[in-house]
């Protein structure tokens, strides 16, 4: 069973990697005006996108961007993300730092989190910002999917560090994955078999990321790990009560899946399932109150829709200014599909809305 699940995810990863590589061969957009350099920030590789200098020599705003791919796929150097970051740098006249964190299976949690954290903290140093002519008061942290997970976790960690001189002004999360507590939210039930990201695939990404046993897939699928008799999960239940956190248009007629009796040994074996560095949605209110102004983009045809919507609601309740930008006709991952032969209107639509928000708020 373990081998079967591993082979299924491996097949999925191979297929997606093939698609990514194919795009790289087909078309790699570039701009002579944007300077693209590779650097190392505190041991972590990054790709930096810099617009041409202007005569007034004003400091620029900046975005630290963390790419998606289930913590196991893609790269800051692929044409898909290279194109997105180039367009961001061009449209916003901003320095974009794209973090090349290490991937599964080379490393597992918490190393991806630490790579993103270390690279971001290095960039936030006054002398580094001065080197790139960046305004220390106009920096955003952003990411999509698993990168949205890392961006949210990094933002939470930075907010707890009392001696940090420079902090991000904004966070912008694109269809982020934020919890592994409940795999039966309405969006997980509604989109369980929706490409590009099926429910089983997302669970397998979590298992892969947390270096756990694939034999636990079926138990996670029915929420055995957060049953009522699993004492470690009890204190977190109120932080992810989708019956109160989601609007009725999202809840529809779906019912919560809460087991009375489950398997406490799952949490013992995978404690990271309740670790806020991996699951930012479970953070306590005191941490959420410290978060910067936030943008969260969600798509209707996406198992992760409710992760983003619940985080938006919790942040809003904590007093944070939040924009929830929901797209009824879009799907998970759509924003990077703006290059032929998948020049989808959904990708252009979401990307333009995201960049517009950054332009108005950063």
């Amino acid at each position: 069973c373990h081998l079967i699940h591993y082979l299924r995810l491996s097949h999925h990863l191979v297929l997606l990697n093939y698609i990514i590589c194919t795009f790289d061969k087909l078309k790699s957009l570039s701009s002579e005006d944007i300077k693209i350099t590779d650097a190392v920030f505190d041991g972590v590789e990054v790709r930096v996108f810099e617009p041409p200098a202007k005569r007034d020599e004003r400091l620029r705003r900046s975005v630290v961007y963390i790419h998606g791919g289930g913590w196991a796929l893609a790269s800051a150097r692929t044409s898909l993300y290279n194109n997105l970051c180039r367009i961001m740098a061009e449209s916003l006249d901003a320095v974009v730092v794209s973090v090349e964190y290490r991937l599964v299976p080379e490393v597992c949690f918490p190393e991806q989190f630490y790579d993103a954290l270390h690279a971001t903290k290095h960039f936030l140093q006054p002398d580094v910002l001065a080197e790139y002519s960046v305004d220390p008061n106009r920096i955003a942290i952003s990411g999509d999917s698993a990168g949205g997970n890392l961006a949210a976790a990094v933002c939470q960690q930075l907010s707890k560090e009392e001696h940090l001189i420079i902090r991000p002004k904004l966070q912008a999360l694109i269809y982020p994955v934020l919890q592994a507590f409940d795999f039966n939210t309405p969006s997980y039930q509604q989109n369980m078999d929706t490409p590009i990201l099926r429910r089983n695939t997302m669970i397998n990404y979590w298992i892969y990321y947390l270096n756990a046993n694939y034999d636990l897939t079926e138990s996670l699928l029915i929420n055995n790990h957060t049953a009522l008799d699993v004492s470690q999960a009890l204190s977190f239940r109120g932080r992810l009560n989708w019956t109160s956190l989601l609007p009725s248009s999202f809840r529809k007629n779906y019912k919560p899946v809460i087991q009375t009796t489950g398997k406490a040994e799952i949490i013992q074996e995978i404690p990271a399932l309740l670790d806020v560095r991996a699951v930012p949605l479970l953070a306590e209110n005191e941490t959420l109150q410290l978060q910067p102004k936030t943008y969260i983009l969600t798509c209707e045809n996406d198992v992760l829709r409710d992760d983003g919507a619940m985080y938006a609601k919790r942040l809003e309740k904590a007093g944070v200014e939040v924009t929830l930008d929901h797209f009824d006709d879009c799907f998970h991952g759509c924003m990077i599909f703006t290059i032929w032969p998948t020049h989808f209107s959904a990708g252009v639509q979401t990307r333009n809305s995201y960049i517009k928000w950054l332009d108005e708020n950063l």
Side-chain angles (χ1 to χ4, degrees):
C1 183
H2 173 97
L3 180 61
I4 291 171
H5 283 299
Y6 179 80
L7 290 175
R8 281 177 182 166
L9 184 59
S10 294
H11 175 73
H12 178 80
L13 296 179
V14 169
L15 178 61
L16 285 180
N17 261 326
Y18 173 76
I19 293 171
I20 290 168
C21 291
T22 300
F23 275 113
D24 278 346
K25 292 174 183 175
L26 282 172
K27 190 171 186 180
S28 181
L29 298 180
S30 62
S31 170
E32 293 179 2
D33 293 333
I34 300 297
K35 178 184 176 185
I36 302 175
T37 55
D38 292 323
V40 177
F41 286 1
D42 193 14
V44 181
E45 296 180 12
V46 298
R47 174 160 284 195
V48 184
F49 299 76
E50 296 176 82
K54 293 188 176 180
R55 291 179 183 177
D56 58 16
E57 295 184 354
R58 284 183 301 178
L59 294 178
R60 286 195 175 83
R61 48 193 177 180
S62 182
V63 180
V64 175
Y65 194 84
I66 308 173
H67 72 79
W71 306 284
L73 283 171
S75 162
R77 298 186 178 96
T78 61
S79 65
L80 294 170
Y81 284 106
N82 207 67
N83 184 51
L84 173 63
C85 291
R86 180 191 61 79
I87 289 174
M88 288 167 59
E90 207 166 47
S91 302
L92 298 168
D93 188 31
V95 175
V96 177
V97 176
S98 189
V99 181
E100 184 78 334
Y101 59 92
R102 291 168 294 165
L103 302 174
V104 174
E106 179 189 350
V107 297
C108 296
F109 175 81
E111 297 309 315
Q112 285 86 345
F113 164 76
Y114 282 126
D115 280 358
L117 178 65
H118 292 159
T120 302
K121 287 181 71 174
H122 177 88
F123 183 62
L124 291 177
Q125 294 178 105
D127 58 332
V128 178
L129 295 178
E131 180 185 341
Y132 289 100
S133 300
V134 168
D135 185 338
N137 298 309
R138 303 178 74 191
I139 301 167
I141 295 182
S142 184
D144 65 296
S145 194
N149 167 283
L150 294 171
V154 166
C155 217
Q156 288 184 7
Q157 181 59 39
L158 293 177
S159 72
K160 300 173 187 176
E161 302 199 5
E162 297 178 1
H163 302 296
L164 200 65
I165 299 171
I166 298 166
R167 300 179 185 277
K169 179 183 180 182
L170 309 170
Q171 67 174 336
L173 313 177
I174 304 161
Y175 32 74
V177 48
L178 298 170
Q179 60 90 23
F181 192 94
D182 184 356
F183 290 111
N184 290 275
T185 62
S187 62
Y188 264 115
Q189 295 186 55
Q190 174 182 307
N191 298 296
M192 65 173 67
D193 291 318
T194 300
I196 292 173
L197 186 63
R198 292 178 169 85
R199 176 168 63 171
N200 272 22
T201 304
M202 189 63 243
I203 292 174
N204 284 333
Y205 274 133
W206 273 112
I207 289 174
Y208 209 29
Y209 180 41
L210 303 181
N211 197 25
N213 191 327
Y214 283 90
D215 292 343
L216 298 175
T217 300
E218 295 305 316
S219 285
L220 294 173
L221 184 65
I222 59 174
N223 292 341
N224 268 345
H225 60 305
T226 53
L228 294 177
D229 68 337
V230 178
S231 59
Q232 303 99 311
L234 281 179
S235 62
F236 293 98
R237 186 167 297 282
R239 302 178 192 178
L240 203 151
N241 179 8
W242 60 256
T243 62
S244 64
L245 291 172
L246 295 178
S248 59
S249 60
F250 283 14
R251 296 196 306 269
K252 300 183 175 70
N253 293 318
Y254 293 104
K255 305 298 181 187
V257 175
I258 303 173
Q259 306 296 345
T260 304
T261 305
K263 295 183 177 179
E265 60 268 23
I266 296 175
I267 298 297
Q268 293 166 3
E269 185 176 332
I270 324 174
L273 286 168
L274 300 177
D275 188 326
V276 295
R277 296 173 302 170
V279 286
L281 184 54
L282 296 185
E284 57 189 8
N285 289 332
E286 289 77 8
T287 298
L288 297 188
Q289 290 169 0
L290 301 173
Q291 300 315 296
K293 189 174 184 178
T294 299
Y295 170 91
I296 300 177
L297 187 150
T298 56
C299 297
E300 183 67 20
N301 305 306
D302 182 6
V303 292
L304 301 177
R305 178 199 67 190
D306 296 344
D307 284 26
M310 286 189 287
Y311 197 47
K313 192 63 176 179
R314 286 203 64 208
L315 286 169
E316 188 181 85
K317 285 185 172 183
V320 176
E321 187 177 342
V322 182
T323 297
L324 179 61
D325 198 7
H326 181 66
F327 291 84
D328 282 323
D329 56 350
C330 294
F331 57 92
H332 186 81
C334 64
M335 188 181 288
I336 59 173
F337 293 113
T338 59
I339 304 175
W340 184 91
T342 56
H343 189 265
F344 295 144
S345 60
V348 176
Q349 184 184 3
T350 51
R351 186 187 68 195
N352 288 349
S353 188
Y354 161 71
I355 289 177
K356 182 175 183 288
W357 185 88
L358 284 174
D359 191 34
E360 293 173 351
N361 291 278
L362 185 56

